């Protein structure tokens, strides 16, 4: 099987589509199986015949970028769904506007599904969210639907994603407490250790419980960094700190490291021979040859960490600060409002979203560095690794850089923006607030749709615009929302 068509992420080949193999490392057979799985989920959504919410979400999660590279596990998922697959090439071959809107909808619900899955595993009711996902998947297979029918559904996807994010915010804070500002060490202590990557806090808690008293320390990686802010997770003394930097550095940073790695969600890169024997996956993540943990018994990961033994001496590192979720930021709302009124704070920048390997992403570092001393940078998701090791100083008694959490915590940024608008009795678009969003994978697509649903205008999107946005759909986004591609850091500073 050598035919594939995938344009779902920002690094798609030539800015158009991966058609022979994925820039992410995904092979053509894997891409074809992900299409078959998606098609089977579409068929199941159309026939209304009792596909469980859990399988719907788990299946969609397996199609996200940098999650599942394993044909065997995708085959098993397709068999579990047990439906004849709707042929996605009828979408890819449609006229460009239909293809664009159907793709936006499909990728949007992939993002929604990922957020809902995290709530589901914490025991929260995702039935309403799943019912929208089924409706959206059904729409992808409507042969005669065009702009008139699809555009409202695309916008509605933003609304449902807001619900999914709000539910996840509730699930996380009820399960682990309200995040508190926390300084996180980047040093690695001597002795055996496990590094946990991805977004799933539930998996992290299970691992912390299972490693308690074992002599194995636990470190976060990538999007797991904000876990340190939660009282219910930081109470584990062996949750020591954060390992490494941006996800796209993993092939360099993991090489030869004497610890075990556990991926709970994206972003997994194809592992190199120098460390593949110590990488484990769970939930929707899978890669051929890696040990997959089903059933959440992490004994093999713990055994591997003990076998490798860790470092004999402390590996030095600096610190990161995290834990400025909406709870912590809004606890300072009075001081922030006063600082804006007195002129001590003149502008807020929301610089957040995904990271990635492209050179153009240095834009986000440069922009953050250029922000003036009387401004606050709100950030979230893994794009922050472009600048979270920089000391931006303080303003009005607060750090200038406030890490609000994972992409999963985007609801917090929305809440803060709404609270500021209320305090100043204006709309969000009237606030001195710039949205500069870096995107890479499908969760960022769903967040963009949420920001549009909320009527937020003049979002800067980068490092490039999605390949699946047709000229007409782009015109709609520009005319109605002022969405634009990032230009230069200097040029975008006050826009
Ligand atoms: Fe290409 Fe991105 Fe699809 Fe991977 S996920 S095949 S890099 S478009
Ligand atoms: Fe990052 Fe992969 Fe999107 Fe959660 S971890 S934001 S890219």
């Amino acid at each position: 099987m050598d035919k594939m068509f995938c344009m779902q992420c920002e690094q798609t080949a030539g800015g158009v589509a991966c058609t022979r193999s994925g820039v992410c490392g995904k092979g053509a057979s894997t891409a074809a199986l992900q299409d078959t799985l998606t098609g089977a989920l579409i068929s199941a959504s159309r026939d209304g015949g009792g596909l469980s919410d859990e399988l719907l979400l788990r299946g969609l999660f397996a199609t996200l970028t940098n999650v599942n590279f394993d044909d065997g596990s995708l085959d098993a998922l397709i068999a579990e769904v047990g439906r004849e697959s709707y042929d996605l090439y009828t979408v890819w071959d449609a006229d460009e506007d239909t293809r664009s809107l159907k793709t936006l909808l499909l990728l949007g619900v992939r993002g929604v599904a990922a957020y809902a899955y995290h709530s589901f595993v914490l025991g929260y009711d995702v039935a309403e969210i799943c019912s929208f996902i089924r409706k959206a998947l059904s729409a992808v297979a409507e042969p005669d639907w065009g702009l008139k029918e699809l555009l409202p559904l695309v916008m509605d996807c933003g609304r449902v994603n807001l619900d999914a994010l709000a539910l996840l915010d509730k699930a996380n804070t009820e399960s682990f407490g309200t995040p508190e500002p926390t300084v996180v060490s980047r040093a690695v202590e001597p002795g055996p250790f496990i590094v946990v990557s991805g977004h799933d806090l539930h998996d992290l808690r299970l691992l912390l419980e299972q490693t308690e008293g074992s002599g194995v320390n636990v470190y976060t990686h990538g999007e797991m960094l904000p876990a340190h802010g939660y009282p219910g997770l930081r109470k584990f003394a062996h949750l020591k700190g954060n390992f490494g930097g941006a996800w796209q550095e993993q092939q360099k940073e993991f090489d030869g490291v004497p610890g075990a790695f556990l991926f709970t969600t994206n972003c997994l890169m194809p592992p190199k021979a120098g460390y593949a024997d110590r990488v484990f996956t769970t939930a929707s993540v899978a890669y051929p040859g890696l040990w997959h943990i089903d059933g959440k018994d992490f004994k093999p990961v713990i055994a591997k960490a003990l076998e490798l033994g860790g470092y004999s001496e402390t590996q030095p590192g600096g610190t990161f600060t995290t834990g400025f979720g909406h709870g912590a930021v809004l606890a300072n709302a009075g001081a922030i409002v006063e600082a804006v009124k007195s002129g001590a704070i003149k502008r807020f920048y929301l610089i957040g979203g995904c990271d990635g390997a492209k050179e153009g992403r240095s834009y986000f570092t440069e922009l953050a560095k250029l922000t003036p001393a009387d401004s606050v940078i709100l950030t979230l998701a893994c794009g922050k690794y472009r600048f979270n090791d920089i000391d931006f100083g303080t303003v009005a008694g607060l750090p200038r850089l406030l890490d609000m959490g994972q992409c999963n915590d985007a609801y917090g940024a929305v809440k803060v923006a709404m609270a500021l608008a209320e305090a100043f009795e204006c709309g969000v678009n009237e606030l001195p607030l710039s949205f500069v969003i870096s995107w890479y994978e499908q969760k960022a697509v769903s967040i963009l749709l949420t920001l549009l649903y909320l009527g937020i205008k003049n979002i800067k999107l980068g490092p490039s615009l999605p390949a699946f946005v047709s000229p007409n759909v782009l015109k709609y986004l520009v005319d109605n929302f002022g969405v634009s591609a990032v230009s230069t850091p200097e040029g975008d500073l006050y826009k």
Side-chain angles (χ1 to χ4, degrees):
M1 193 151 359
D2 58 0
K3 182 183 171 191
M4 71 180 278
F5 183 82
C6 187
M7 56 173 173
Q8 69 169 351
C9 83
E10 196 274 337
Q11 66 178 2
T12 194
V16 181
C18 295
T19 52
R20 261 181 271 173
S21 64
V23 176
C24 60
K26 181 164 86 182
S29 63
T30 310
L33 287 169
Q34 288 178 339
D35 285 352
T36 306
L37 173 58
T38 305
L41 292 168
I42 288 173
S43 299
S45 299
R46 285 175 80 78
D47 71 21
L51 185 77
S52 73
D53 290 347
E54 193 274 338
L55 182 52
L56 176 71
L57 300 180
R58 183 159 49 89
L60 285 170
F61 212 148
T63 64
L64 257 69
T65 300
N66 290 86
V67 170
N68 194 316
F69 299 81
D70 184 51
D71 293 3
S73 91
L74 291 166
D75 268 332
L77 268 166
I78 292 163
E80 219 181 319
V81 176
R83 302 294 200 289
E84 185 132 340
S85 180
Y86 170 78
D87 182 3
L88 272 184
Y89 276 82
T90 57
V91 175
W92 310 146
D93 293 339
D95 73 84
E96 64 175 3
D97 293 333
T98 306
R99 178 172 80 179
S100 183
L101 288 170
K102 286 189 171 180
T103 308
L104 259 171
L105 193 55
L106 176 58
L107 304 189
V109 294
R110 282 181 178 169
V112 176
Y115 294 131
Y117 187 76
H118 292 293
S119 296
F120 177 85
V121 296
L122 287 168
Y124 286 75
D125 182 1
V126 292
E128 268 184 44
I129 296 165
C130 288
S131 121
F132 175 82
I133 293 175
R134 289 188 180 88
K135 185 170 149 191
L137 289 179
S138 300
V140 170
E142 282 297 341
D144 304 321
W145 282 19
L147 205 93
K148 187 162 82 49
E149 294 84 5
L150 293 167
L151 199 53
L153 261 182
V154 169
M155 289 297 136
D156 216 25
C157 184
R159 176 186 64 79
V160 175
N161 189 53
L162 182 62
D163 291 347
L165 288 168
L167 181 67
L168 183 53
D169 183 74
K170 180 176 152 72
N172 282 340
T173 49
E174 286 180 357
S175 304
F176 310 111
T178 300
E180 295 162 1
T182 306
V183 176
V184 182
S185 168
R186 302 179 65 196
V188 182
E189 295 182 13
F193 67 98
I194 298 169
V195 174
V196 188
S197 193
H199 302 70
D200 201 287
L201 301 178
H202 180 58
D203 282 341
L204 175 62
R205 177 168 64 187
L206 293 175
L207 183 79
L208 286 166
E209 286 168 357
Q210 291 177 31
T211 41
E212 210 166 14
S214 69
V216 174
N217 288 329
V218 175
Y219 294 84
T220 56
H221 172 258
E223 275 284 62
M224 208 52 101
L225 167 65
H228 293 274
Y230 289 91
L233 296 170
R234 59 189 291 197
K235 70 176 185 195
F236 292 92
H238 63 299
L239 177 61
K240 290 289 183 184
N242 189 77
F243 178 94
W247 67 261
Q248 69 274 8
E249 302 296 329
Q250 65 191 252
Q251 290 175 329
K252 263 187 281 164
E253 290 182 348
F254 291 7
D255 202 19
V257 170
F261 298 91
L262 174 66
F263 277 84
T264 65
T265 71
N266 51 318
C267 274
L268 171 71
M269 296 175 83
K272 298 274 188 206
Y275 65 91
D277 65 336
R278 57 206 66 181
V279 183
F280 296 78
T281 61
T282 190
S284 292
V285 193
Y287 194 91
L290 297 191
W291 192 321
H292 185 79
I293 306 286
D294 267 330
K296 306 303 176 193
D297 179 350
F298 294 117
K299 275 195 208 82
V301 194
I302 299 167
K304 181 52 95 177
L306 288 167
E307 176 199 320
L308 291 165
Y311 294 106
S312 51
E313 283 171 19
T314 299
Q315 306 297 298
T319 57
F320 287 137
T321 302
T322 188
F324 286 95
H326 61 85
V329 174
L330 294 180
N332 291 291
I336 294 173
V337 169
E338 278 316 306
V340 175
K341 284 187 177 155
S342 74
I345 296 177
K346 294 221 171 55
R347 196 162 191 89
F348 298 87
Y349 291 90
L350 186 102
I351 310 178
C354 304
D355 208 349
K358 267 198 190 164
E359 272 176 31
R361 289 185 185 267
S362 57
Y363 163 94
F364 298 99
T365 318
E366 294 311 313
L367 181 74
K369 280 190 192 161
L370 279 177
T371 57
D374 54 7
S375 67
V376 171
I377 306 169
L378 301 167
T379 191
L380 78 176
C382 63
K384 63 170 151 278
Y385 282 94
R386 291 274 157 184
F387 47 77
N388 66 343
D389 56 349
I390 297 172
D391 181 3
F392 289 95
T394 58
V395 63
L398 280 172
R400 282 194 54 231
L401 177 69
L402 301 176
D403 176 9
M404 304 196 71
Q406 303 178 332
C407 62
N408 292 22
D409 300 307
Y411 180 69
V414 168
K415 248 189 125 165
V416 166
M418 296 297 176
L420 285 175
E422 204 183 306
F424 292 105
E425 295 175 354
C426 67
V428 171
N429 291 316
E430 276 76 59
L431 288 170
L433 168 62
S434 306
F435 285 85
V436 189
I437 308 291
S438 52
W439 86 282
Y440 171 67
E441 38 78 28
Q442 300 70 54
K443 292 199 262 180
V445 174
S446 64
I447 289 179
L448 177 67
L449 295 179
T450 294
L451 296 177
L452 300 181
Y453 161 74
L454 289 167
I456 291 169
K457 299 223 159 103
N458 301 324
I459 296 168
K460 298 264 169 214
L461 193 61
S464 61
L465 294 178
F468 48 82
V469 173
S470 68
N472 281 333
V473 173
L474 181 62
K475 185 173 180 321
Y476 173 83
L477 296 179
V478 172
D479 291 351
N480 290 279
F481 299 100
V483 172
S484 62
V486 297
S487 60
T488 60
E490 296 81 3
D492 289 346
L493 204 52
Y494 294 107
K495 285 188 183 155

